[in-house]
Amino acid sequence: MRKINVFDTTLRDGEQSAGVNLNFEEKLEIAKQLERLGVDVMEAGFPASSQGDFRSVQAIANTVKGSSVTGLARSVTNDIDVAWEALKNSAEPRIHVFLATSPIHMTYKLRMTPDEVVRTAVESVKYAKAKFPQVQWSAEDASRSELPFLATIIEAVIDAGATVINLPDTVGYTTPHEIGNMFRYLTENVPNIDRAILSTHNHDDLGMAVANSLAAIQNGAGQVECTMNGIGERAGNASLEEIAVALNIRKDHYQADTGLTLKEIKRSSSLVSKLTGMIVPSNKAVVGANAFAHESGIHQDGVLKNKETYEIFTPELVGVSSNRMVLGKHSGRHAFKEKIVELGFNGTEDQLQTIFKAFKDLADKKKDVTEDDLFALMTEATVGEAVAHYELEALQVNYGTNNIPTATITLNVPSEGTIQEAATGSGSVEAIYNTLERMIDGPVILEDYRIQSINGGRDALAEVFVKIQYDGVESTGRGTAHDVLEASAKAYIHAINRTINRRAYNAERMKQLNA
């Protein structure tokens, strides 16, 4: 049984999804969960792209020890130097260097001849190898590159010190048959290929990213690059959970497995969905809400008689619990702590107390508290803003079919104390947002508003995601509460706090640079 290394790029390629902008705390929380999942390599970001990315990559490299942490770099010495500073204290310093190899990219983007591309690739790999024990080199747009040229450049970069060779389908153009041919060709025509691991990285523009990844594995790939929930640029990347479960369930066919802790899949998926604001479709394979739902009477009858009639793997395999959580309003702090530690909590005592209080408040309002509810409360408490410039203290909304909706809000502002304001709107949410805009310094444009329930039932927790433009900066926010209007207010305030913190961080960086 071959071991396939899992290279997770949720924090780099995944974060490049339109509208996604994770902050420092959110990236670190996702990294910790990916470590629990057991990914072999996590690409924490692109250190040279910004000070924020550098800081996040460095913190993740210093924190995560159970997975190899890597950062992306162009084939230039400055990128490699910055990546080394961010990654040098990691458990296994690793860099991911890339250069385009397709005719269209070399001609129009790089404006380089094939010989110049080979020379640049070799020089950058040699430079990186002098610092990093593990150097991954990627042939950007490999699927549209000429195979003889790929063989030439791959042989050269392996001689220069590359230990992993990645062959991306950068624009999601190839097919399973074609990618299989590419991997077979290179395995047979690169003399030193045994000195490196072949990796596959596929985008989903034509809906074939997972199929292409599996085809590459069948034809020699020893590493697969993917993201949680398949997020990423344009149509996204190959879905980690789909590849992992496919290899596990069809070991008889693929003769390969990942070694991931599969029961952490659902939790990883939920965390990424909450923090990015990208909702997982109900019909999504493996992690969708309907993945184990049976509507048809024939299917229901079959499952009741024998689950294997219509379920090829159990919900428990990927961490979907079919049992209700036993904690309730009479549960003590000790039992509560044991449960959230089981769910992955590793925060401070203050955070524990905050979650426990929120749990008690919820248990008074809600008959059954589920693991999904608790996970939502835990995420909100542990992945907040470093500084809360505005805090919701009280919210009252007056609404009637014959009355104009009016919201009255009290905010706690550490720099000013308590402030209160009221405003009307055409609906309750608009009244809340009109009120909050009056209380915030400067105009706010609401670009997106989404709401969903954490789980089913009348007493379900509400989760709201918003995207705003404030002070010329686009930012996202989320809020969770038993009441949908309270969740809406929290999401808006969270987005405002994120923008102010980002502005303060950038101002501090400019001050340091000018000093």
Side-chain angles (χ1 to χ4, degrees), residues 262-302:
L262 297 183
K263 67 179 181 180
E264 293 290 340
I265 281 179
K266 177 60 176 176
R267 196 170 302 151
S268 303
S269 169
S270 297
L271 182 66
V272 169
S273 176
K274 289 178 191 301
L275 299 187
T276 60
M278 298 187 73
I279 297 170
V280 176
S282 296
N283 66 334
K284 173 81 166 64
V286 180
V287 292
N290 292 348
F292 304 100
H294 302 280
E295 179 73 18
S296 162
I298 295 173
H299 285 216
Q300 291 172 348
D301 180 63

mmCIF file of all heavy atoms in Angstrom, residues 262-302:
data_model
loop_
_atom_site.group_PDB
_atom_site.id
_atom_site.type_symbol
_atom_site.label_atom_id
_atom_site.label_comp_id
_atom_site.label_asym_id
_atom_site.label_seq_id
_atom_site.Cartn_x
_atom_site.Cartn_y
_atom_site.Cartn_z
ATOM 1 N N LEU A 262 -9.034 10.639 9.534
ATOM 2 C CA LEU A 262 -10.243 10.978 8.771
ATOM 3 C C LEU A 262 -11.372 11.537 9.636
ATOM 4 O O LEU A 262 -12.187 12.332 9.156
ATOM 5 C CB LEU A 262 -10.729 9.755 7.990
ATOM 6 C CG LEU A 262 -9.770 9.204 6.926
ATOM 7 C CD1 LEU A 262 -10.414 8.033 6.194
ATOM 8 C CD2 LEU A 262 -9.366 10.288 5.937
ATOM 9 N N LYS A 263 -11.426 11.154 10.914
ATOM 10 C CA LYS A 263 -12.514 11.649 11.770
ATOM 11 C C LYS A 263 -12.406 13.156 12.011
ATOM 12 O O LYS A 263 -13.351 13.762 12.548
ATOM 13 C CB LYS A 263 -12.536 10.897 13.097
ATOM 14 C CG LYS A 263 -11.340 11.148 13.987
ATOM 15 C CD LYS A 263 -11.451 10.373 15.293
ATOM 16 C CE LYS A 263 -10.248 10.653 16.200
ATOM 17 N NZ LYS A 263 -10.351 9.906 17.471
ATOM 18 N N GLU A 264 -11.270 13.775 11.638
ATOM 19 C CA GLU A 264 -11.113 15.225 11.778
ATOM 20 C C GLU A 264 -11.578 15.979 10.532
ATOM 21 O O GLU A 264 -11.509 17.208 10.490
ATOM 22 C CB GLU A 264 -9.647 15.572 12.061
ATOM 23 C CG GLU A 264 -9.129 15.087 13.400
ATOM 24 C CD GLU A 264 -9.719 15.846 14.577
ATOM 25 O OE1 GLU A 264 -10.227 16.972 14.369
ATOM 26 O OE2 GLU A 264 -9.685 15.330 15.700
ATOM 27 N N ILE A 265 -12.047 15.260 9.515
ATOM 28 C CA ILE A 265 -12.423 15.910 8.255
ATOM 29 C C ILE A 265 -13.597 16.871 8.433
ATOM 30 O O ILE A 265 -13.550 18.022 7.987
ATOM 31 C CB ILE A 265 -12.735 14.856 7.169
ATOM 32 C CG1 ILE A 265 -11.424 14.306 6.593
ATOM 33 C CG2 ILE A 265 -13.583 15.463 6.051
ATOM 34 C CD1 ILE A 265 -11.610 13.241 5.532
ATOM 35 N N LYS A 266 -14.660 16.420 9.060
ATOM 36 C CA LYS A 266 -15.845 17.265 9.208
ATOM 37 C C LYS A 266 -15.526 18.526 9.997
ATOM 38 O O LYS A 266 -15.948 19.630 9.646
ATOM 39 C CB LYS A 266 -16.970 16.471 9.894
ATOM 40 C CG LYS A 266 -18.231 17.277 10.165
ATOM 41 C CD LYS A 266 -18.863 17.835 8.901
ATOM 42 C CE LYS A 266 -20.168 18.558 9.223
ATOM 43 N NZ LYS A 266 -20.751 19.203 8.027
ATOM 44 N N ARG A 267 -14.761 18.367 11.085
ATOM 45 C CA ARG A 267 -14.401 19.515 11.904
ATOM 46 C C ARG A 267 -13.539 20.500 11.110
ATOM 47 O O ARG A 267 -13.704 21.709 11.194
ATOM 48 C CB ARG A 267 -13.657 19.031 13.153
ATOM 49 C CG ARG A 267 -13.554 20.062 14.258
ATOM 50 C CD ARG A 267 -13.021 19.413 15.527
ATOM 51 N NE ARG A 267 -13.872 18.317 15.945
ATOM 52 C CZ ARG A 267 -13.437 17.252 16.619
ATOM 53 N NH1 ARG A 267 -12.165 17.135 16.917
ATOM 54 N NH2 ARG A 267 -14.287 16.302 16.978
ATOM 55 N N SER A 268 -12.602 19.981 10.325
ATOM 56 C CA SER A 268 -11.739 20.836 9.498
ATOM 57 C C SER A 268 -12.576 21.589 8.470
ATOM 58 O O SER A 268 -12.395 22.787 8.237
ATOM 59 C CB SER A 268 -10.671 19.994 8.790
ATOM 60 O OG SER A 268 -9.893 19.256 9.712
ATOM 61 N N SER A 269 -13.495 20.874 7.843
ATOM 62 C CA SER A 269 -14.371 21.473 6.840
ATOM 63 C C SER A 269 -15.218 22.593 7.441
ATOM 64 O O SER A 269 -15.343 23.682 6.867
ATOM 65 C CB SER A 269 -15.280 20.396 6.238
ATOM 66 O OG SER A 269 -16.301 20.969 5.450
ATOM 67 N N SER A 270 -15.791 22.331 8.615
ATOM 68 C CA SER A 270 -16.652 23.326 9.269
ATOM 69 C C SER A 270 -15.870 24.563 9.657
ATOM 70 O O SER A 270 -16.342 25.695 9.481
ATOM 71 C CB SER A 270 -17.314 22.714 10.519
ATOM 72 O OG SER A 270 -18.159 21.649 10.171
ATOM 73 N N LEU A 271 -14.655 24.369 10.185
ATOM 74 C CA LEU A 271 -13.847 25.514 10.598
ATOM 75 C C LEU A 271 -13.481 26.388 9.400
ATOM 76 O O LEU A 271 -13.613 27.621 9.450
ATOM 77 C CB LEU A 271 -12.575 25.031 11.302
ATOM 78 C CG LEU A 271 -11.647 26.132 11.826
ATOM 79 C CD1 LEU A 271 -12.330 26.916 12.950
ATOM 80 C CD2 LEU A 271 -10.325 25.551 12.318
ATOM 81 N N VAL A 272 -13.041 25.758 8.317
ATOM 82 C CA VAL A 272 -12.672 26.517 7.121
ATOM 83 C C VAL A 272 -13.890 27.247 6.560
ATOM 84 O O VAL A 272 -13.803 28.405 6.140
ATOM 85 C CB VAL A 272 -12.034 25.593 6.062
ATOM 86 C CG1 VAL A 272 -11.884 26.308 4.721
ATOM 87 C CG2 VAL A 272 -10.677 25.094 6.548
ATOM 88 N N SER A 273 -15.028 26.592 6.560
ATOM 89 C CA SER A 273 -16.249 27.217 6.056
ATOM 90 C C SER A 273 -16.635 28.437 6.889
ATOM 91 O O SER A 273 -16.947 29.500 6.348
ATOM 92 C CB SER A 273 -17.398 26.199 6.056
ATOM 93 O OG SER A 273 -18.603 26.811 5.652
ATOM 94 N N LYS A 274 -16.573 28.298 8.213
ATOM 95 C CA LYS A 274 -16.946 29.408 9.091
ATOM 96 C C LYS A 274 -16.004 30.602 8.931
ATOM 97 O O LYS A 274 -16.446 31.744 8.838
ATOM 98 C CB LYS A 274 -16.924 28.940 10.555
ATOM 99 C CG LYS A 274 -18.031 28.000 10.956
ATOM 100 C CD LYS A 274 -17.873 27.576 12.397
ATOM 101 C CE LYS A 274 -18.818 26.437 12.752
ATOM 102 N NZ LYS A 274 -20.231 26.785 12.559
ATOM 103 N N LEU A 275 -14.704 30.326 8.896
ATOM 104 C CA LEU A 275 -13.740 31.420 8.899
ATOM 105 C C LEU A 275 -13.586 32.086 7.530
ATOM 106 O O LEU A 275 -13.218 33.255 7.445
ATOM 107 C CB LEU A 275 -12.385 30.931 9.405
ATOM 108 C CG LEU A 275 -12.368 30.391 10.842
ATOM 109 C CD1 LEU A 275 -10.945 30.095 11.289
ATOM 110 C CD2 LEU A 275 -13.026 31.371 11.813
ATOM 111 N N THR A 276 -13.852 31.369 6.466
ATOM 112 C CA THR A 276 -13.765 31.970 5.129
ATOM 113 C C THR A 276 -15.092 32.561 4.674
ATOM 114 O O THR A 276 -15.133 33.387 3.764
ATOM 115 C CB THR A 276 -13.334 30.938 4.070
ATOM 116 O OG1 THR A 276 -14.303 29.867 4.040
ATOM 117 C CG2 THR A 276 -11.954 30.374 4.382
ATOM 118 N N GLY A 277 -16.184 32.118 5.304
ATOM 119 C CA GLY A 277 -17.506 32.560 4.872
ATOM 120 C C GLY A 277 -17.993 31.853 3.622
ATOM 121 O O GLY A 277 -19.012 32.231 3.041
ATOM 122 N N MET A 278 -17.284 30.799 3.212
ATOM 123 C CA MET A 278 -17.682 30.044 2.013
ATOM 124 C C MET A 278 -18.508 28.835 2.451
ATOM 125 O O MET A 278 -17.985 27.863 3.003
ATOM 126 C CB MET A 278 -16.441 29.612 1.226
ATOM 127 C CG MET A 278 -15.623 30.778 0.714
ATOM 128 S SD MET A 278 -14.276 30.290 -0.385
ATOM 129 C CE MET A 278 -15.194 29.834 -1.868
ATOM 130 N N ILE A 279 -19.796 28.916 2.212
ATOM 131 C CA ILE A 279 -20.729 27.891 2.666
ATOM 132 C C ILE A 279 -20.536 26.601 1.876
ATOM 133 O O ILE A 279 -20.397 26.622 0.656
ATOM 134 C CB ILE A 279 -22.179 28.393 2.536
ATOM 135 C CG1 ILE A 279 -22.396 29.607 3.454
ATOM 136 C CG2 ILE A 279 -23.174 27.291 2.870
ATOM 137 C CD1 ILE A 279 -23.707 30.324 3.230
ATOM 138 N N VAL A 280 -20.535 25.485 2.581
ATOM 139 C CA VAL A 280 -20.417 24.178 1.928
ATOM 140 C C VAL A 280 -21.774 23.790 1.351
ATOM 141 O O VAL A 280 -22.775 23.748 2.083
ATOM 142 C CB VAL A 280 -19.966 23.097 2.944
ATOM 143 C CG1 VAL A 280 -19.936 21.728 2.293
ATOM 144 C CG2 VAL A 280 -18.592 23.454 3.518
ATOM 145 N N PRO A 281 -21.863 23.544 0.043
ATOM 146 C CA PRO A 281 -23.155 23.156 -0.548
ATOM 147 C C PRO A 281 -23.706 21.894 0.112
ATOM 148 O O PRO A 281 -22.945 20.998 0.497
ATOM 149 C CB PRO A 281 -22.799 22.886 -2.015
ATOM 150 C CG PRO A 281 -21.541 23.651 -2.252
ATOM 151 C CD PRO A 281 -20.789 23.613 -0.960
ATOM 152 N N SER A 282 -25.005 21.810 0.237
ATOM 153 C CA SER A 282 -25.626 20.663 0.901
ATOM 154 C C SER A 282 -25.311 19.351 0.203
ATOM 155 O O SER A 282 -25.210 18.303 0.837
ATOM 156 C CB SER A 282 -27.147 20.854 0.969
ATOM 157 O OG SER A 282 -27.469 21.972 1.766
ATOM 158 N N ASN A 283 -25.153 19.391 -1.125
ATOM 159 C CA ASN A 283 -24.892 18.155 -1.872
ATOM 160 C C ASN A 283 -23.413 17.890 -2.075
ATOM 161 O O ASN A 283 -23.033 17.050 -2.892
ATOM 162 C CB ASN A 283 -25.599 18.186 -3.229
ATOM 163 C CG ASN A 283 -25.044 19.265 -4.153
ATOM 164 O OD1 ASN A 283 -24.506 20.264 -3.681
ATOM 165 N ND2 ASN A 283 -25.163 19.062 -5.451
ATOM 166 N N LYS A 284 -22.552 18.620 -1.345
ATOM 167 C CA LYS A 284 -21.106 18.416 -1.461
ATOM 168 C C LYS A 284 -20.739 17.015 -0.977
ATOM 169 O O LYS A 284 -21.181 16.572 0.076
ATOM 170 C CB LYS A 284 -20.379 19.460 -0.611
ATOM 171 C CG LYS A 284 -18.873 19.284 -0.503
ATOM 172 C CD LYS A 284 -18.165 19.831 -1.722
ATOM 173 C CE LYS A 284 -16.667 19.968 -1.497
ATOM 174 N NZ LYS A 284 -15.978 18.714 -1.268
ATOM 175 N N ALA A 285 -19.918 16.312 -1.771
ATOM 176 C CA ALA A 285 -19.479 14.977 -1.388
ATOM 177 C C ALA A 285 -18.729 15.015 -0.062
ATOM 178 O O ALA A 285 -18.003 15.955 0.229
ATOM 179 C CB ALA A 285 -18.574 14.395 -2.476
ATOM 180 N N VAL A 286 -18.946 14.014 0.753
ATOM 181 C CA VAL A 286 -18.255 13.751 2.025
ATOM 182 C C VAL A 286 -18.689 14.675 3.158
ATOM 183 O O VAL A 286 -18.993 14.212 4.257
ATOM 184 C CB VAL A 286 -16.715 13.803 1.871
ATOM 185 C CG1 VAL A 286 -16.020 13.527 3.208
ATOM 186 C CG2 VAL A 286 -16.239 12.808 0.825
ATOM 187 N N VAL A 287 -18.709 16.007 2.945
ATOM 188 C CA VAL A 287 -18.959 16.926 4.054
ATOM 189 C C VAL A 287 -20.254 17.734 3.925
ATOM 190 O O VAL A 287 -20.582 18.512 4.827
ATOM 191 C CB VAL A 287 -17.774 17.902 4.224
ATOM 192 C CG1 VAL A 287 -16.545 17.170 4.703
ATOM 193 C CG2 VAL A 287 -17.495 18.664 2.936
ATOM 194 N N GLY A 288 -20.985 17.588 2.848
ATOM 195 C CA GLY A 288 -22.238 18.322 2.686
ATOM 196 C C GLY A 288 -23.305 17.837 3.659
ATOM 197 O O GLY A 288 -23.282 16.694 4.118
ATOM 198 N N ALA A 289 -24.258 18.723 3.970
ATOM 199 C CA ALA A 289 -25.316 18.378 4.920
ATOM 200 C C ALA A 289 -26.135 17.178 4.453
ATOM 201 O O ALA A 289 -26.688 16.430 5.266
ATOM 202 C CB ALA A 289 -26.228 19.586 5.125
ATOM 203 N N ASN A 290 -26.226 16.976 3.137
ATOM 204 C CA ASN A 290 -27.026 15.870 2.604
ATOM 205 C C ASN A 290 -26.197 14.625 2.273
ATOM 206 O O ASN A 290 -26.718 13.672 1.695
ATOM 207 C CB ASN A 290 -27.767 16.305 1.332
ATOM 208 C CG ASN A 290 -28.847 17.336 1.617
ATOM 209 O OD1 ASN A 290 -29.201 17.567 2.769
ATOM 210 N ND2 ASN A 290 -29.348 17.979 0.576
ATOM 211 N N ALA A 291 -24.917 14.643 2.618
ATOM 212 C CA ALA A 291 -24.040 13.533 2.235
ATOM 213 C C ALA A 291 -24.519 12.191 2.787
ATOM 214 O O ALA A 291 -24.277 11.142 2.192
ATOM 215 C CB ALA A 291 -22.606 13.809 2.699
ATOM 216 N N PHE A 292 -25.209 12.234 3.932
ATOM 217 C CA PHE A 292 -25.705 10.987 4.532
ATOM 218 C C PHE A 292 -27.223 11.037 4.736
ATOM 219 O O PHE A 292 -27.779 10.327 5.569
ATOM 220 C CB PHE A 292 -25.001 10.740 5.874
ATOM 221 C CG PHE A 292 -23.502 10.701 5.742
ATOM 222 C CD1 PHE A 292 -22.736 11.801 6.077
ATOM 223 C CD2 PHE A 292 -22.859 9.575 5.258
ATOM 224 C CE1 PHE A 292 -21.357 11.782 5.941
ATOM 225 C CE2 PHE A 292 -21.492 9.539 5.110
ATOM 226 C CZ PHE A 292 -20.734 10.647 5.454
ATOM 227 N N ALA A 293 -27.890 11.911 3.975
ATOM 228 C CA ALA A 293 -29.343 12.035 4.076
ATOM 229 C C ALA A 293 -30.013 11.170 3.016
ATOM 230 O O ALA A 293 -29.527 11.066 1.886
ATOM 231 C CB ALA A 293 -29.754 13.493 3.904
ATOM 232 N N HIS A 294 -31.128 10.578 3.382
ATOM 233 C CA HIS A 294 -31.858 9.692 2.454
ATOM 234 C C HIS A 294 -33.318 10.133 2.383
ATOM 235 O O HIS A 294 -34.057 10.033 3.352
ATOM 236 C CB HIS A 294 -31.767 8.233 2.920
ATOM 237 C CG HIS A 294 -30.361 7.733 3.044
ATOM 238 N ND1 HIS A 294 -29.625 7.321 1.961
ATOM 239 C CD2 HIS A 294 -29.550 7.626 4.116
ATOM 240 C CE1 HIS A 294 -28.415 6.953 2.368
ATOM 241 N NE2 HIS A 294 -28.345 7.133 3.676
ATOM 242 N N GLU A 295 -33.744 10.612 1.219
ATOM 243 C CA GLU A 295 -35.111 11.097 1.029
ATOM 244 C C GLU A 295 -35.997 10.023 0.413
ATOM 245 O O GLU A 295 -37.156 9.863 0.791
ATOM 246 C CB GLU A 295 -35.075 12.346 0.131
ATOM 247 C CG GLU A 295 -36.447 12.936 -0.176
ATOM 248 C CD GLU A 295 -37.051 13.655 1.018
ATOM 249 O OE1 GLU A 295 -36.309 13.988 1.953
ATOM 250 O OE2 GLU A 295 -38.282 13.864 1.012
ATOM 251 N N SER A 296 -35.442 9.292 -0.544
ATOM 252 C CA SER A 296 -36.229 8.278 -1.236
ATOM 253 C C SER A 296 -36.679 7.168 -0.282
ATOM 254 O O SER A 296 -35.895 6.679 0.540
ATOM 255 C CB SER A 296 -35.387 7.667 -2.370
ATOM 256 O OG SER A 296 -35.937 6.442 -2.795
ATOM 257 N N GLY A 297 -37.948 6.767 -0.410
ATOM 258 C CA GLY A 297 -38.469 5.690 0.432
ATOM 259 C C GLY A 297 -37.715 4.393 0.226
ATOM 260 O O GLY A 297 -37.458 3.638 1.170
ATOM 261 N N ILE A 298 -37.343 4.122 -1.029
ATOM 262 C CA ILE A 298 -36.604 2.892 -1.332
ATOM 263 C C ILE A 298 -35.241 2.925 -0.636
ATOM 264 O O ILE A 298 -34.799 1.940 -0.039
ATOM 265 C CB ILE A 298 -36.432 2.731 -2.852
ATOM 266 C CG1 ILE A 298 -37.795 2.527 -3.524
ATOM 267 C CG2 ILE A 298 -35.494 1.575 -3.181
ATOM 268 C CD1 ILE A 298 -37.755 2.531 -5.030
ATOM 269 N N HIS A 299 -34.584 4.094 -0.697
ATOM 270 C CA HIS A 299 -33.276 4.233 -0.044
ATOM 271 C C HIS A 299 -33.411 4.111 1.467
ATOM 272 O O HIS A 299 -32.608 3.431 2.126
ATOM 273 C CB HIS A 299 -32.661 5.589 -0.396
ATOM 274 C CG HIS A 299 -32.119 5.665 -1.790
ATOM 275 N ND1 HIS A 299 -30.987 6.377 -2.125
ATOM 276 C CD2 HIS A 299 -32.561 5.116 -2.947
ATOM 277 C CE1 HIS A 299 -30.753 6.262 -3.430
ATOM 278 N NE2 HIS A 299 -31.718 5.512 -3.944
ATOM 279 N N GLN A 300 -34.436 4.765 2.041
ATOM 280 C CA GLN A 300 -34.633 4.703 3.481
ATOM 281 C C GLN A 300 -34.861 3.266 3.939
ATOM 282 O O GLN A 300 -34.300 2.822 4.942
ATOM 283 C CB GLN A 300 -35.825 5.582 3.881
ATOM 284 C CG GLN A 300 -35.556 7.074 3.721
ATOM 285 C CD GLN A 300 -36.799 7.912 3.944
ATOM 286 O OE1 GLN A 300 -37.921 7.391 4.010
ATOM 287 N NE2 GLN A 300 -36.617 9.217 4.039
ATOM 288 N N ASP A 301 -35.666 2.547 3.195
ATOM 289 C CA ASP A 301 -35.943 1.144 3.539
ATOM 290 C C ASP A 301 -34.662 0.317 3.494
ATOM 291 O O ASP A 301 -34.398 -0.493 4.392
ATOM 292 C CB ASP A 301 -36.973 0.579 2.558
ATOM 293 C CG ASP A 301 -37.299 -0.884 2.858
ATOM 294 O OD1 ASP A 301 -37.824 -1.166 3.947
ATOM 295 O OD2 ASP A 301 -36.981 -1.741 2.000
ATOM 296 N N GLY A 302 -33.858 0.546 2.463
ATOM 297 C CA GLY A 302 -32.609 -0.204 2.344
ATOM 298 C C GLY A 302 -31.647 0.086 3.476
ATOM 299 O O GLY A 302 -31.044 -0.821 4.051
#
